[in-house]
């Protein structure tokens, strides 16, 4: 395994001292108010300090360790000569996260990487904002996005827009959605509504189901009684004749009659794991077949390498991080730390890599909103990444298709920001 030196993290003081370049930006205006003294970006040793707020203790300590490893790996690969990480334990608690941010800023942190959870990010924002310190949070909650606080986690909307655009390009016009009754399901459904409208499609059906029993929602979505009704009426009429021919006709209809397809071309499923399998298994029972209906998924399908074991999911499309970059990152992480990283470790890598990139700008370190939201974006462990002025992010995503023996890439992630980046 690689030996990642401690100098890549909090003890980076033993690295070579940087030479300040002409015209270097060494201070940023504070947001504390007009006339406030600017906060220096570099410490007395010429290093830019980045707070790293992580749950290093408590029930999420293992995730916190993976995040720390991802950030360390970014510094090891991109160079730690001009940046120092200040890891702080939040234990996943909003109050501790705010206190950790306050302490790190007092120690000279010019940027905050993390925290992980939405409530922590909400608590950190009023600490970092008035100090003029940008925050690159690891949460996936778009409600936390705002100017000055960027959400780097995988947001629901971009992958939804990606699959909707692909389905629309393949000829789908009428869309339906089947989502769980939880916060993620509601976020996905809202994103789906917008994506379908933007793509010029029509959302004709939507159903929300409780986790305990999705069958009634699937039946309603399928409009099963209306589609099956004419066939059942013919069977009853044939039996009512009371003749051998009538019985033969009823049996033939029972065997051979085909229920008409539903009134939608594409169906989004917003669940994962065993719950997704349970929902998918109900689809053919109510004559929702793929084809003619294209099944669309969320990145939760990426965590199901054996999704193809459920026949109803074979052929489903979903968007996921750049497959080549993700695989390469996982290999480097595994070599360094001896285990496969969770995907959020790549988010921490990206945050640290952005900090390193902006700390080593040719004209000197620059953490301004213009630098953070530069149109060309950044090349991250999980693909290209762009921070948007409203605090959200855009990522280059691969389009994947579920096969019986695993998922394949049917359209690779872009390597620059163009119309395929959502």
């Amino acid at each position: 395994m690689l030996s990642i030196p401690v100098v890549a993290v909090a003890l980076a003081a033993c690295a070579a001292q940087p030479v300040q370049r002409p015209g270097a930006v060494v201070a940023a205006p504070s947001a504390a108010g007009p006339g406030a003294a600017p906060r220096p970006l570099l410490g007395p040793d010429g290093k830019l300090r980045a707070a790293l707020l992580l749950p290093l203790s408590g029930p999420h300590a293992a995730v916190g360790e993976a995040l720390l490893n991802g950030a360390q790996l970014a510094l090891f690969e991109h160079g730690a000569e001009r940046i120092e990480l200040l890891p702080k334990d939040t234990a996943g608690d909003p109050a501790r996260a705010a206190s950790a941010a306050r302490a790190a800023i007092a120690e000279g942190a010019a940027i905050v990487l993390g925290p992980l959870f939405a409530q922590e990010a909400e608590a950190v924002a009023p600490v970092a904002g008035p100090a003029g310190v940008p925050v690159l949070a690891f949460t996936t909650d778009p409600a936390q996005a705002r100017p000055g606080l960027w959400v780097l986690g995988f947001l629901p909307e971009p992958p939804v827009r990606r699959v909707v655009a692909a389905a629309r390009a393949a000829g789908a016009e009428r869309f339906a959605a089947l989502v769980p009754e939880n916060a993620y399901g509601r976020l996905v459904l809202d994103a789906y509504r917008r994506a379908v409208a933007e793509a010029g499609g029509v959302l004709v059906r939507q159903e929300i189901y409780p986790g305990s029993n999705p069958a009634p929602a699937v039946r309603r979505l399928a409009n099963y009684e209306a589609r099956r009704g004419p066939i059942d009426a013919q069977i009853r009429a044939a039996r009512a004749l009371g003749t051998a021919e009538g019985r033969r006709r009823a049996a033939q209809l029972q065997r051979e009659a085909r229920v008409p397809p539903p009134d939608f071309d594409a169906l989004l499923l917003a669940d994962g794991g065993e719950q997704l399998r349970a929902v998918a298994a109900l689809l053919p029972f109510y004559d929702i077949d793929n084809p003619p209906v294209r099944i669309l998924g969320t990145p939760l399908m990426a965590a199901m390498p054996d999704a193809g074991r459920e026949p109803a999911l074979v052929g489903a499309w979903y968007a996921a991080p750049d497959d080549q970059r993700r695989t390469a990152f996982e290999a480097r992480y595994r070599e360094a730390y001896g285990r496969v990283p969770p995907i959020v470790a790549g988010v921490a890598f990206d945050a640290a890599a952005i900090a390193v990139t902006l700390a080593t700008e040719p004209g000197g370190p620059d953490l301004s909103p213009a630098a953070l939201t530069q149109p060309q974006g950044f090349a991250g462990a999980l693909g290209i990444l762009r921070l948007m002025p409203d605090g959200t992010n855009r990522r280059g995503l691969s389009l994947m298709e579920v096969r019986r023996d695993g998922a394949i890439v049917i359209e690779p992630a872009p390597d620059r920001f163009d119309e395929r980046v959502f």
Side-chain angles (χ1 to χ4, degrees):
M1 295 190 297
L2 292 176
S3 176
I4 296 185
V6 178
V7 296
V9 201
L11 301 181
C14 62
Q17 295 292 321
V19 177
Q20 186 173 318
R21 303 178 184 127
V25 179
V26 296
S30 169
R39 298 191 75 260
L41 289 183
L42 301 181
D45 58 358
K47 292 182 180 293
L48 185 144
R49 286 167 173 76
L52 185 58
L53 309 186
L54 304 173
L56 298 174
S57 63
H60 306 289
V63 178
E65 181 184 2
L67 289 164
L68 177 60
N69 290 343
Q72 288 178 329
L73 190 60
L75 264 65
F76 178 71
E77 293 184 0
H78 292 281
E81 294 82 6
R82 301 200 55 181
I83 188 167
E84 177 184 354
L85 292 180
L86 303 177
K88 301 288 183 183
D89 182 18
T90 71
D93 177 72
R96 287 190 61 173
S99 178
R102 195 173 293 111
I105 291 171
E107 293 171 26
I111 187 171
V112 172
L113 312 181
L116 175 60
F117 300 110
Q119 290 182 325
E120 291 181 295
E122 189 172 15
V124 165
V127 175
V133 175
V135 178
L136 306 184
F138 304 147
T139 176
T140 60
D141 183 2
Q144 301 309 317
R146 65 199 72 179
L149 190 154
W150 283 270
V151 173
L152 262 66
F154 283 85
L155 301 175
E157 187 149 353
V160 168
R161 294 175 65 193
R162 180 79 154 102
V163 294
V164 167
R168 190 76 180 89
E173 297 180 354
R174 300 162 301 168
F175 291 78
L178 185 62
V179 306
E181 191 177 24
N182 56 33
Y184 182 73
R186 289 189 292 272
L187 286 172
V188 168
L189 183 56
D190 288 344
Y192 191 61
R193 291 190 188 110
R194 291 190 293 270
V196 169
E198 290 173 5
V202 179
L203 182 60
V204 295
R205 293 188 182 274
Q206 62 183 53
E207 289 290 341
I208 301 174
Y209 58 87
S212 57
N213 183 18
V218 177
R219 189 180 184 95
R220 291 192 301 271
L221 183 88
N223 194 24
Y224 189 71
E225 282 76 12
R227 293 165 55 215
R228 177 79 192 184
I231 296 173
D232 288 340
Q234 292 178 56
I235 293 173
R236 287 194 299 271
R239 287 173 177 167
L241 294 175
T243 65
E245 176 59 24
R247 290 191 292 273
R248 186 197 65 77
R249 174 62 177 158
Q252 182 182 25
L253 285 167
Q254 193 75 43
R255 288 192 313 270
E256 300 177 4
R258 294 292 178 263
V259 175
D263 58 356
F264 46 86
D265 310 309
L267 170 62
L268 179 74
L269 304 179
D271 225 324
E274 292 307 312
Q275 185 66 18
L276 176 59
R277 294 187 203 281
V279 171
L282 292 168
L283 300 180
F285 185 79
Y286 292 111
D287 291 290
I288 301 176
D289 299 312
N290 180 16
V293 176
R294 171 68 67 182
I295 302 301
L296 309 176
T298 71
L300 294 179
M301 279 191 179
M304 298 175 61
D306 60 346
R309 289 171 49 193
E310 172 50 55
L313 293 178
V314 175
W317 288 351
Y318 65 91
D322 185 317
D323 192 64
Q324 290 186 339
R325 287 182 180 271
R326 178 187 56 78
T327 301
F329 168 71
E330 288 180 352
R332 300 195 309 272
Y333 186 103
R334 188 167 55 249
E335 183 181 0
Y337 302 109
R339 50 190 176 274
V340 177
I343 195 168
V344 73
V347 175
F349 180 102
D350 289 352
I354 289 172
V356 172
T357 298
L358 297 181
T360 55
E361 287 288 305
D366 185 359
L367 299 178
S368 67
L372 284 157
T373 61
Q374 54 189 272
Q376 67 269 31
F378 304 90
L382 305 174
I384 59 173
L385 166 68
R386 184 181 175 192
L387 307 183
M388 306 304 290
D390 64 355
T392 60
N393 71 71
R394 297 288 183 269
R395 289 182 179 270
L397 300 171
S398 301
L399 185 64
M400 312 293 293
E401 180 174 298
V402 175
R403 298 286 177 88
R404 294 189 186 280
D405 56 352
I408 64 167
V409 178
I410 59 173
E411 188 175 321
D415 56 10
R416 67 182 184 279
F417 281 90
D418 57 22
E419 69 279 0
R420 292 182 296 146
V421 178
F422 297 92

